[in-house]
Amino acid sequence: MKKSFSLLFIIIVSNFINAQTSSQKPKLIVGIVVDQMRYEYLHRFEKHYSNQGFKRLMQEGFFAKNTHFSYIPTYTGPGHASIYTGTTPANHGIIANNWYDKFENKSVYCVQDNNANSIGVEGEAGQMSPHRMLNTSIADQNRLDTQFRGQTFGVSIKDRGAILPAGHTANATYWFAGGNDGKFISSDFYIDELPKWVKKFNKNTKQYIKTWETLYPIENYIESGSDLNDYEFGFKGKSTATFPYDLKQLKSENNNFDILKPTPFANTMLTDFAEKLIKNENLGQDDDTDFLTISYSSTDYAGHNFGVNSKEVQDMYIRLDQNIADLLNYLDQNVGKNNYTLFLTADHGAVHVPNYLKEKNIPAGYFDAKKLNKAMNEFVNEKFGSSKLIEGFSNQNIFFDYEELEEQNVEVDDLQEALYYFLLQYDKIDRVYTREMIENSSHSTAFSRNVANGFHPKRSGDVIYILEPAVISYPQKGSTHGSYMSYDTQVPLIFYGQGVLQKQSYQSYYIKDIAPTIVALLGIAQPNGTTGSVISEVLK
């Protein structure tokens, strides 16, 4: 009798423990990347936010207030890849959005795949895949762990924002084809045709083209600059970059559906699409964890167009707060408040418009890369007797032609050293790194470590130059990004939901720490190139 009772007790306890373990594992992971979101936007516009969006995440989740990227260049492609692989471009290989491929002797795009075919649209817009990303993502690891029962979907306005986070094994990724198409599309890397629910959604995208006015009275937007200024591009067909914007009237001069991209209505459309996906693909409805990656791209388009200090960017984030609130409410009702875990971050920040900074007596400026490239070729020709020693230029990387070096009997070290001193003396260039320095140095400074973390030995150049703070190679309106300065590297990071502690922290963390933290929560293997660390503070 005692043995039977003991055995029954053990079985009950064992089942209880297993049930507890199972219930603690979220049914759905939602990863949100807000493209070009500076950390300060969470606080700068906070008084305009509702209690159900950004504030809910900040107050009820784990809010890491000192999170940075640890490499350059800080672009969209490398940012998304680094967040989800838990490492840097030195490992995952996405060194930029576009880069010069010295093996193909041409510029390549980070997700371009000529072996793939477009699904849902004619032409090249869907010829995309993650094949250039060398490591697995956290979503890939979850697929492997669940024997591919756990589903993965990625959505974004940008193709790279949908593809790189979802990884190599996603069930599908969807991104928005603008122009005359105005629909979400995909690639046959994932699927053979668009599902019925996607086709149905695509029939109604015209509804998002409307008049853009500020959500609240514009005079209350005291956290941003004047609506009328000299630092914004605006839209073709409108003489000033000022509210309101009649998108229906302007769309024909702005490539039709492309006009949505720098507006908050594309964020709303993406949120609606994500919610339809959750419902139609039954995400979070069984014991195998699913993944949904969402990348809000319109914030980046707006920043490039209007600048980080614009009324347009402020209204964009106030409206995005409502999208986040709507998404959280949808997850509560359809997945269950205790059944999902979400994180929110950004792929990079952005610099103030340099002309604006200069007006305020802050050092800043613009850099003519084409002028430099011409000067470099002239210098190399004069010093070494050949104008062909430099094969290509890309993202402040200089690529050598090694066949020409051998033919001209020029030593690689001699060319590197000559360009090092030439570039250091060039106006508005702050630092210079050669391949030899990057590969053989101990990288004792944060700057050199960031350069090394962004350097892939087979894909990066032979000499890299870094511009001075707030100096950009860009038109003289709008904002951009790409440096290792804090305005580009510091981004929000919030974990929220099942298994996450409610806490705020000023501890220093890096973007590459997100993936190991999520896999620790799930109890699965890390992505195969991970170099980040688990943020143990996050987990209950």
Side-chain angles (χ1 to χ4, degrees), residues 111-121 123-131 154 159 162-163 170-175 184-195:
V111 293
Q112 177 188 0
D113 187 350
N114 293 333
N115 293 319
N117 296 299
S118 300
I119 298 296
V121 69
E124 300 177 355
Q127 290 187 279
M128 307 290 166
S129 84
H131 75 108
D159 46 25
I163 292 168
N171 298 79
T173 65
Y174 301 103
W175 57 94
F184 283 92
I185 66 170
S186 190
S187 158
D188 70 356
F189 181 86
Y190 307 103
I191 55 177
D192 295 325
E193 67 173 322
L194 295 180

Side-chain angles (χ1 to χ4, degrees), residues 92-313:
H92 62 61
I94 304 298
I95 60 172
N97 295 333
N98 303 271
W99 64 85
Y100 181 77
D101 189 311
K102 50 194 164 190
F103 300 102
E104 298 184 35
N105 295 319
K106 65 178 183 180
S107 179
V108 297
Y109 177 51
C110 61
V111 293
Q112 177 188 0
D113 187 350
N114 293 333
N115 293 319
N117 296 299
S118 300
I119 298 296
V121 69
E122 298 293 328
E124 300 177 355
Q127 290 187 279
M128 307 290 166
S129 84
H131 75 108
R132 297 188 194 278
M133 188 170 74
L134 303 176
N135 299 136
T136 57
S137 72
I138 46 179
D140 287 325
Q141 293 302 143
N142 184 68
R143 291 275 281 163
L144 289 166
D145 182 78
T146 61
Q147 300 302 312
F148 294 87
R149 293 187 301 271
Q151 300 186 87
T152 295
F153 293 90
V155 299
S156 181
I157 298 300
K158 294 181 181 177
D159 46 25
R160 58 188 180 270
I163 292 168
L164 296 172
H168 304 273
T169 61
N171 298 79
T173 65
Y174 301 103
W175 57 94
F176 189 69
N180 294 326
D181 295 306
K183 61 175 69 172
F184 283 92
I185 66 170
S186 190
S187 158
D188 70 356
F189 181 86
Y190 307 103
I191 55 177
D192 295 325
E193 67 173 322
L194 295 180
K196 290 181 180 179
W197 71 265
V198 176
K199 292 178 181 178
K200 182 178 179 181
F201 187 94
N202 284 338
K203 292 179 180 179
N204 298 304
T205 54
K206 285 184 180 179
Q207 66 176 303
Y208 299 99
I209 299 179
K210 58 185 77 174
T211 298
W212 181 14
E213 299 182 271
T214 55
L215 184 62
Y216 303 119
I218 196 168
E219 58 268 22
N220 293 341
Y221 286 20
I222 62 172
E223 297 79 13
S224 50
S226 171
D227 190 30
L228 179 62
N229 59 71
D230 296 326
Y231 315 119
E232 304 172 2
F233 288 106
F235 294 105
K236 293 178 182 178
K238 193 172 190 302
S239 59
T240 61
T242 54
F243 283 103
Y245 298 98
D246 186 339
L247 303 186
K248 288 183 179 179
Q249 183 180 12
L250 296 169
K251 70 182 179 69
S252 61
E253 292 188 63
N254 293 271
N255 201 22
N256 293 324
F257 279 96
D258 274 0
I259 200 169
L260 277 175
K261 293 180 179 180
T263 77
F265 306 128
N267 288 336
T268 301
M269 179 176 66
L270 186 68
T271 305
D272 292 344
F273 186 81
E275 290 174 1
K276 293 291 185 184
L277 190 154
I278 292 168
K279 177 182 179 181
N280 284 277
E281 301 296 348
N282 297 311
L283 297 191
Q285 301 303 314
D286 57 34
D287 291 334
D288 292 306
T289 302
D290 296 323
F291 257 83
L292 174 61
T293 72
I294 304 172
S295 177
Y296 287 104
S297 307
S298 296
T299 44
D300 183 70
Y301 287 116
H304 282 295
N305 191 327
F306 301 103
V308 303
N309 198 45
S310 63
K311 289 283 190 283
E312 288 81 359
V313 164

